[in-house]
Amino acid sequence: MALVKCPECGNAVSTEAPACPSCGFPVAAKVAAQSKPAADTVLAEVRPSWWQYFWLLVFFWLIIPWIVAWGRRASLKLRIYPGRITLERGLFSKSYREFDARDIRSVEIDQGILARMVGIGDLTISTAATVDPDEEIEGIPNPKAVRDLILAQRQSQ
């Protein structure tokens, strides 16, 4: 048996009393209605924990970088022909540059310590037509061999 406040007059009334002794308000009916939830009332909403999807989320973040890397790798092609060098950029929209081997002024290589350890480097090709470097190509495998091949093409012309 608990005491509740009468909604009508504010006096303390027992939960077992059928009505308030002061005003006659039906307290028992009101307490019963409050203790029994309506059929359409949501008591709790439970969803699976994010931990249930942990591996899906981990693999999602592991797969996306591979797709980005594949797209970037597929969007650049450096081709060395006898007497000329072509550079094709783009996956959907394309950009083509062609250099005559005689016009190449210098080929520079930039490698950090990590890049040297894995054998990649950034190649910068400068031509006689411009003062600034024409093309910077990042992540070229074995950049010294590529540079030597370009310079050999320049000297053979």
Side-chain angles (χ1 to χ4, degrees):
M1 171 171 107
L3 293 176
V4 293
K5 194 169 149 181
C6 176
E8 213 38 57
C9 65
N11 290 332
V13 182
S14 171
T15 55
E16 295 181 4
C20 176
S22 300
C23 65
F25 185 80
V27 176
K30 184 75 172 170
V31 170
Q34 286 179 350
S35 65
K36 187 187 245 184
D40 61 341
T41 304
V42 177
L43 298 177
E45 183 174 300
V46 179
R47 293 180 183 230
S49 170
W50 280 105
W51 290 109
Q52 175 72 23
Y53 304 106
F54 177 76
W55 291 112
L56 291 174
L57 294 172
V58 166
F59 287 125
F60 171 77
W61 289 111
L62 290 175
I63 289 172
I64 294 298
W66 283 97
I67 294 170
V68 171
W70 174 84
R72 285 188 177 179
R73 187 173 186 270
S75 68
L76 180 78
K77 291 179 189 140
L78 175 68
R79 293 185 179 117
I80 303 168
Y81 297 101
R84 66 186 173 107
I85 290 96
T86 62
L87 183 64
E88 179 181 329
R89 290 185 190 261
L91 200 55
F92 299 113
S93 61
K94 296 283 189 173
S95 169
Y96 299 97
R97 302 265 329 245
E98 185 169 326
F99 303 102
D100 191 357
R102 291 175 295 176
D103 293 338
I104 293 176
R105 186 178 58 195
S106 68
V107 180
E108 299 172 8
I109 298 171
D110 291 321
Q111 287 180 302
I113 189 156
L114 225 59
R116 285 180 59 207
M117 291 171 74
V118 295
I120 63 172
D122 300 340
L123 206 65
T124 305
I125 299 173
S126 299
T127 62
T130 63
V131 176
D132 295 330
D134 273 345
E135 287 296 333
E136 293 182 25
I137 310 159
E138 297 177 348
I140 296 293
N142 200 0
K144 289 181 182 177
V146 174
R147 179 196 60 194
D148 293 342
L149 184 60
I150 291 173
L151 294 177
Q153 293 306 311
R154 182 179 73 177
Q155 291 172 356
S156 69
Q157 291 295 318

